[in-house]
Amino acid sequence: MFDPETRAFLESGCGLIVGTVGPDGEPHAGRAWGMDVLDLGPPARTRLLLDADDERTIAHVAEGGAMAVTATNVLTLRSTQLKGRAMRPEVAMPEDDARAERYIEQFHADVHATDRVPWEQFQQILPAGYVACTFEAHERYDQTPGPGAGARVEAGG
Amino acid sequence: MTDRAVPEILLSQLSVCFEGAIPAVIATAAADGTPNITYLSRVQRVDDERVALSNQFFSKTAKNLAENPRASVLLMDPSTYDQYRLTVAYERTERRGPVFERLRADVDALAALGGMMDVFKLRAADIYRVLDIELVPSARRRPEAYEPPSPVDTRLDSTVLAELASRLARTSDLDTLVASTVRALADLFGYEHSMLLLLDEDGTHLFTIASHGYEAQGVGSEVSVGEGLIGMAAARGVPLRIGNLLQMQRYSRTVRRSFEGAGDLSPGHEIPVPDLPGSQSRLAVPALSLGQLVGVLVVESTAPVAFTVADEAALTVVASLVASGVEAERSRDRGEEELTIPTPIGVSSDAGGPATRVRFFEVDGSTFLDGDYLIKGVAGRILWALLGHHAREGRVDFSNREMRLDPSLDLPPFRDNFESRLILLKRRLDEREAPIRIDKTSRGCFRLVVDGPVSLEPA
């Protein structure tokens, strides 16, 4: 489902936003703090780090609910949306914390390069802790801003 | 454990989040429960209970909302990086009216940055009722220790406005009026970077008549009506405000590439940013008088989200005063010329020394001094005509009235803008510290001062 270039893109310091849905159909927006591709697929499997304070996202994941993840390169705004299912939320391991730290460093470097946001200010949005989950991506869409946003990308792209 | 209640957060306290400095995020869900998450161009507060979201494309988000009217929106305060989650329910779509127009102005501003005015348009403003607002907790920002920001004070300082009105009312001519305006914006309002542009004779371009706080004054620089933020403010006749130019330019570039790739837009030039390095915020306000566009007043800052609705309101008043002043001056100038006594023919006082070479291109009035570009158009033609009289007859004193009758200036019969062009020429010569300058001698009369010999070279 992913080629190596897509994998590198997803594992970089992209902005990661996460959408889930509760059993009542209520959508919920959150952020993620690092992604590692475990299997290129299809379906592709990733390990995704969620904000431990985001109780609703975690609850939706615990229910094995549908999830959408959009990854956006802050410098170019190239954007990809993955849709699939998230499962198995678990307390982050020390290696997950280290992964989140690397991700945040890259993410902030891009945000600083584009918008000159200092580290002191950027820290304001960083979570207090992480919960890891497995996200299985079944579909992929081009989400780069413009009239083509939302076009489905076939497997392997 | 704390017994402190988490304070309720009001939409009115989040006004800075609606300035578009950091893209908002929206999550929706299809009828089958599949979520969708994406960024939004603009979110605006409609009232204390509602927000409006921009809808430019027929997107998955719009399709989902038709099936399931609920959405979750993330907003970020660009000054503190506090993050808020809004739970909203779709109420209605508006394609006209004040909310739509306000959102359209924002989207137009974005389109103008990328030269996409023909294709990047707001289709609709979707109005949502806000059901809940929560602070998104972070390591540093815990809800139990959170104090919501105070609502932005949108009241105008009438004392400052009165002082500005008083200063402008005391100006005796157009030159002093435009100079006083940009100076007062800095002195009284703290706008350190400002410029005033006036509409040209045929209504297609704006030219800079005065500026403050820029390395180069840029007097005479032109902007096409409809192009860029300034040109779009003129074309639409509404104030346009951007609080994060760097990010918006990046966004508009990406959208533009996307349109080009889809074949909907031919490659074109991007509107260049004026000369304030690192400019992040810009506010362009049309100056209108009796329903007619006279010019555009612009302020800039290197700080993100430097301008709010309060600045917009204040500058709308200032721009209106300036427009009325400019129009009054033009009318008075034309009216009083009827009483102007023919001016005496002065004597040229140019001394010796190397000649200043003036090269003039008839085709567009472009004029160069010693090889450096000076000005073009009507202002260039005025200088060429004046220097011709000076060379042939040794004249230095002129009246607006006689110059208006000079067919070589190619002035339109109505709204000829002669005075504005003369002031533009004067300020441009002053900016260049040229050995040629123009001094006002009395109402409707001026003197050409030439320090040294001049060599006229028609191209």
Side-chain angles (χ1 to χ4, degrees):
Chain A
M1 184 158 183
F2 300 152
D3 57 24
E5 194 274 334
T6 303
R7 176 185 196 154
F9 171 73
L10 294 170
E11 292 182 346
S12 69
C14 288
L16 294 169
I17 51 176
V18 175
T20 55
V21 185
D24 56 356
E26 187 89 32
H28 180 79
R31 291 183 189 273
W33 299 93
M35 178 188 263
D36 277 326
V37 176
L38 307 175
D39 186 339
L40 294 175
R45 278 192 319 117
T46 71
R47 186 169 179 84
L48 190 65
L49 301 177
L50 304 170
D51 177 352
D53 273 321
D54 190 351
E55 293 168 2
R56 262 175 289 171
T57 294
I58 294 165
H60 295 165
V61 171
E63 290 152 7
M67 178 183 270
V69 179
T70 293
T72 303
N73 182 299
V74 177
L75 300 170
T76 64
L77 299 184
R78 173 191 167 187
S79 207
T80 289
Q81 181 165 200
L82 308 173
K83 293 195 180 185
R85 200 154 286 280
M87 58 205 86
R88 291 192 290 277
E90 60 188 37
V91 175
M93 311 294 282
E95 52 268 35
D96 291 319
D97 292 339
R99 175 69 184 99
E101 262 186 49
R102 290 199 307 278
Y103 165 80
I104 288 165
E105 196 177 315
Q106 281 182 288
F107 184 33
H108 174 253
D110 286 353
V111 171
H112 186 261
T114 53
D115 293 334
R116 305 187 186 115
V117 176
W119 173 245
E120 180 64 23
Q121 187 177 10
F122 186 78
Q123 278 181 297
Q124 196 71 18
I125 58 167
L126 301 184
Y130 306 98
V131 163
C133 73
T134 301
F135 170 59
E136 200 174 83
H138 301 135
E139 296 168 8
R140 183 178 155 211
Y141 298 85
D142 179 9
Q143 209 67 46
T144 304
R152 185 163 181 173
V153 180
E154 294 308 318
Chain B
M1 185 71 186
T2 175
D3 57 359
R4 183 181 182 279
V6 178
E8 183 186 10
I9 303 168
L10 307 174
L11 276 180
S12 58
Q13 294 166 323
L14 305 184
S15 52
V16 72
C17 299
F18 300 117
E19 295 293 333
I22 298 176
V25 172
I26 182 168
T28 56
D32 68 358
T34 304
N36 192 79
I37 184 127
T38 188
Y39 292 96
L40 271 168
S41 297
R42 295 299 300 220
V43 181
Q44 271 198 357
R45 174 176 163 243
V46 175
D47 54 34
D48 286 344
E49 298 175 347
R50 291 173 188 81
V51 291
L53 310 186
S54 61
N55 179 357
Q56 291 97 273
F57 308 114
F58 292 120
S59 63
K60 181 68 179 168
T61 298
K63 186 171 179 294
N64 281 358
L65 286 164
E67 298 173 1
N68 177 354
R70 287 170 293 183
S72 175
V73 175
L74 290 178
L75 292 176
M76 200 178 284
D77 182 324
S79 56
T80 63
Y81 260 49
D82 282 338
Q83 199 176 191
Y84 303 90
R85 184 180 289 110
L86 276 56
T87 304
V88 299
Y90 172 79
E91 269 193 350
R92 63 184 189 275
T93 291
E94 292 188 359
R95 292 187 172 82
R96 65 174 73 87
V99 174
F100 176 81
E101 289 302 326
R102 232 167 2 123
L103 206 54
R104 188 163 75 129
D106 286 344
V107 173
D108 282 353
L110 190 57
L113 287 178
M116 300 179 293
M117 289 75 76
D118 294 337
V119 291
F120 192 65
K121 292 178 175 171
L122 182 70
R123 292 180 188 278
D126 293 332
I127 313 294
Y128 296 78
R129 178 177 287 277
V130 178
L131 306 175
D132 183 54
I133 305 173
E134 61 175 322
L135 175 77
V136 176
S138 71
R140 289 191 162 195
R141 183 65 89 188
R142 307 310 296 172
E144 57 274 14
Y146 169 76
E147 289 294 340
S150 302
V152 172
D153 187 356
T154 56
R155 289 171 302 180
L156 296 182
D157 187 336
S158 55
T159 313
V160 172
L161 276 175
E163 171 60 23
L164 180 124
S166 169
R167 286 194 192 183
L168 298 189
R170 285 196 296 269
T171 60
S172 57
D173 56 43
L174 186 62
D175 190 24
T176 319
L177 175 73
V178 297
S180 298
T181 300
V182 292
R183 201 178 311 120
L185 287 176
D187 294 349
L188 301 176
F189 293 86
Y191 298 127
E192 292 300 331
H193 308 281
S194 67
M195 54 183 136
L196 175 63
L197 299 94
L198 297 181
L199 190 67
D200 72 359
E201 298 75 15
D202 54 12
T204 59
H205 290 81
L206 298 149
F207 59 91
T208 308
I209 189 86
S211 69
H212 178 90
Y214 296 92
E215 198 170 312
Q217 286 186 42
V219 171
S221 59
E222 291 190 353
V223 173
S224 295
V225 171
E227 272 195 1
L229 192 77
I230 298 168
M232 184 58 85
R236 298 275 318 281
V238 294
L240 295 181
R241 188 172 80 242
I242 280 189
N244 191 341
L245 272 169
L246 297 176
Q247 183 160 299
M248 291 298 104
Q249 282 165 339
R250 198 166 63 251
Y251 180 83
S252 68
R253 267 198 300 270
T254 303
V255 176
R256 186 184 171 87
R257 272 198 301 270
S258 182
F259 272 116
E260 286 172 358
D264 296 332
L265 196 68
S266 56
H269 67 283
E270 188 173 333
I271 310 304
V273 189
D275 295 340
L276 177 62
S279 176
Q280 284 270 49
S281 300
R282 188 178 303 154
L283 169 58
V285 180
L288 301 164
S289 176
L290 295 175
Q292 297 293 312
L293 180 74
V294 174
V296 176
L297 192 56
V298 183
V299 291
E300 283 193 274
S301 172
T302 54
V305 200
F307 310 120
T308 67
V309 287
D311 298 283
E312 200 174 293
L315 281 174
T316 298
V317 175
V318 175
S320 178
L321 288 170
V322 172
S324 298
V326 169
E327 283 300 280
E329 171 63 21
R330 283 173 178 166
S331 303
R332 190 171 60 173
D333 181 50
R334 281 192 287 268
E336 289 190 5
E337 277 175 30
E338 300 304 320
L339 304 173
T340 301
I341 298 164
T343 53
I345 295 178
V347 179
S348 173
S349 62
D350 52 339
T356 300
R357 289 182 301 111
V358 181
R359 193 162 170 76
F360 175 73
F361 290 80
E362 176 64 38
V363 62
D364 66 351
S366 290
T367 306
F368 295 76
L369 289 190
D370 286 334
D372 293 332
Y373 173 74
L374 177 73
I375 205 146
K376 68 173 182 177
V378 173
R381 294 183 202 285
I382 292 172
L383 180 62
W384 186 250
L386 294 176
L387 289 172
H389 285 295
H390 178 265
R392 290 189 302 271
E393 306 143 24
R395 283 188 64 190
V396 294
D397 290 316
F398 300 88
S399 73
N400 291 4
R401 185 181 188 189
E402 66 165 314
M403 292 309 296
R404 276 202 171 93
L405 296 173
D406 186 333
S408 72
L409 301 188
D410 200 20
L411 290 170
F414 180 66
R415 290 178 64 88
D416 63 33
N417 252 352
F418 176 83
E419 179 74 2
S420 307
R421 291 299 185 177
L422 184 66
I423 298 306
L424 171 64
L425 174 61
K426 174 188 184 306
R427 297 174 74 83
R428 186 77 179 123
L429 288 166
D430 291 346
E431 183 186 11
R432 282 280 314 275
E433 297 179 347
I436 302 164
R437 66 174 199 276
I438 289 167
D439 289 345
K440 296 283 280 185
T441 50
S442 61
R443 179 151 305 284
C445 298
F446 61 93
R447 176 166 294 159
L448 178 72
V449 179
V450 181
D451 294 329
V454 173
S455 162
L456 301 182
E457 301 173 1

